[in-house]
Amino acid sequence: MAQQAYMTETDNGGSGPERRGARFRRLTDRLLAGWRGDKRIWRRGLVVTALAVLIALIMLLHAQIPNRFGNLGSLIETFLPWLGLAVPVLLVLALVRKSATALVAVLLLSAVWFNLFGSLLTDKAATGGDLTMATHNVNADNPDPAGTARDVAASGADVVALEELTETAVPTYEKALTSTYKYHSVQGTVGLWSKYPLTGLRPVDIKLGWTRAMRATVTTPAGQVAVYVAHLPSVRVKVEAGFTAHQRDKSADALGEAIADEKLTRVVLLGDLNGTMNDRSLNAVTSQMRSTQGAAGSGFGFSWPASFPMARIDQIMVKGIEPLSSWTLPRTGSDHLPVAARVNVDTSS
């Protein structure tokens, strides 16, 4: 009698496993309605299928896309992660078309995207570290240089690199940062501020005709580190010329040579490279250094434009040093976001 009462109560709206199972079956039945027994599900949605396969091939073979036509390959590589936005759009279209072929193609596209970028979705940050660094393109037209300097200093960074410094704004940055950073040097339009002594200061020739890169030795408690600060030339996307980046690419090669010739084994690069880690044109630099964001960050760490970040063109890269965490800082008066990283200079333990 008790068993009968229980069964009656469950059938009349109880929340037992039988009830939940029935609801799930009804939901799946509704989703699959119109699919069962329909042989055309493998013939419909060929356009959606073709689009999914094309985008998957672009992601897989992006390095093979030629640059000789408006630097098309580099342009695609700059915004490569955003191709993942095609997945939900094409998935909806495949479901609307009731196309099994399109669904398979979208699953393939998803697998390719996660294979390339899935690791960036996890938080790889670790605790500890003996050096914190930050870099920021402050924007020559920044309306609040003093506030920007204070914001970056508030990050707690031991070493700060600033790019796109103007002659008139340099005294403002120096005044705002002097209480936190005892040592600093400005070379052309880039500067380095440090809590630790700076030696070996010199400009780095990146084939521009004026100074937009520098090198310094920072003597930290954990040892000496060669720190490079660079602001590579800007790129433009033009209808008639495509992705114009010749000067940027030439400067990247020169910067890569300077880093390769560095005598110290522990090297850091801070700056605005006007390119992402995926861009093959920066191989002279990226092939010999690690991105702190890729190694120890959480998410993509997009830094530009600050109003709606779409690409990480501001980089902290290391060689002979262990990255532990990497992140973006809050927006300042610049059109770039500052980026920061914490590393282990002493990797002997």
Side-chain angles (χ1 to χ4, degrees):
M1 188 68 176
Q3 182 180 7
Q4 182 178 0
Y6 170 78
M7 293 298 292
T8 302
E9 182 181 33
T10 302
D11 291 342
N12 286 336
S15 57
E18 296 89 352
R19 180 71 173 179
R20 290 194 295 270
R23 287 176 178 173
F24 179 75
R25 284 193 296 273
R26 286 198 297 271
L27 177 61
T28 55
D29 286 342
R30 283 197 295 269
L31 290 175
L32 294 175
W35 292 67
R36 292 193 180 100
D38 186 355
K39 296 181 179 180
R40 293 181 299 168
I41 61 173
W42 296 103
R43 297 196 294 268
R44 284 195 297 261
L46 296 183
V47 173
V48 177
T49 301
L51 286 173
V53 171
L54 176 62
I55 296 171
L57 288 174
I58 289 174
M59 288 196 290
L60 280 172
L61 304 175
H62 63 87
Q64 309 305 317
I65 299 173
N67 255 347
R68 59 179 176 271
F69 302 110
N71 276 327
L72 180 61
S74 287
L75 176 60
I76 290 174
E77 287 167 339
T78 298
F79 300 103
L80 196 63
W82 290 94
L83 291 180
L85 291 178
V87 172
V89 175
L90 294 177
L91 177 61
V92 169
L93 292 176
L95 291 173
V96 169
R97 290 290 294 142
K98 295 182 179 179
S99 170
T101 305
L103 279 177
V104 172
V106 173
L107 288 175
L108 171 65
L109 173 59
S110 302
V112 171
W113 190 91
F114 276 101
N115 180 61
L116 291 175
F117 303 110
S119 63
L120 295 176
L121 301 179
T122 60
D123 187 353
K124 300 178 287 297
T127 57
D130 50 32
L131 183 67
T132 301
M133 304 170 292
T135 181
H136 190 23
N137 179 325
V138 295
N139 187 1
D141 298 322
N142 192 320
D144 184 20
T148 295
R150 287 192 297 268
D151 289 344
V152 176
S155 68
D158 303 304
V159 176
V160 169
L162 300 181
E163 303 87 46
E164 208 165 298
L165 296 170
T166 63
E167 187 175 352
T168 56
V170 165
T172 303
Y173 287 107
E174 290 175 330
K175 181 179 179 181
L177 294 170
T178 188
S179 61
T180 305
Y181 301 97
K182 184 177 179 180
Y183 310 93
H184 87 277
S185 174
V186 174
Q187 307 275 338
T189 62
V190 298
L192 186 66
W193 278 259
S194 174
K195 295 178 181 179
Y196 306 123
L198 299 176
T199 57
L201 295 159
R202 60 176 174 81
V204 175
D205 182 11
I206 55 172
K207 311 303 181 185
L208 282 174
W210 69 96
T211 302
R212 282 176 50 149
M214 64 173 288
R215 183 260 183 216
T217 297
V218 180
T219 304
T220 77
Q224 288 190 329
V225 180
V227 176
Y228 287 77
V229 183
H231 182 196
L232 298 187
S234 299
V235 297
R236 297 287 185 268
V237 180
K238 300 179 180 179
V239 174
E240 71 279 6
F243 192 61
T244 57
H246 175 71
Q247 187 59 63
R248 191 277 313 265
D249 299 347
K250 181 180 177 182
S251 292
D253 290 342
L255 179 61
E257 290 179 11
I259 293 172
D261 291 339
E262 174 58 49
K263 303 303 181 184
L264 293 180
T265 57
R266 292 178 289 206
V267 185
V268 170
L269 171 61
L270 306 167
D272 174 7
L273 302 190
N274 271 306
T276 68
M277 294 296 294
N278 293 317
D279 190 339
R280 77 194 67 175
S281 296
L282 300 184
N283 278 352
V285 175
T286 58
S287 63
Q288 57 179 319
M289 306 190 79
R290 298 174 69 191
S291 162
T292 58
Q293 184 67 25
S298 176
F300 291 94
F302 294 149
S303 63
W304 177 88
S307 57
F308 187 83
M310 296 183 66
R312 185 181 178 88
I313 63 175
D314 301 276
Q315 308 288 355
I316 299 178
M317 304 179 67
V318 297
K319 180 167 68 172
I321 290 173
E322 184 63 28
L324 295 178
S325 62
S326 187
W327 64 97
T328 57
L329 297 170
R331 186 177 180 182
T332 69
S334 173
D335 57 341
H336 292 242
L337 294 179
V339 300
R342 189 171 64 252
V343 302
N344 256 347
V345 174
D346 182 2
T347 58
S348 59
S349 57

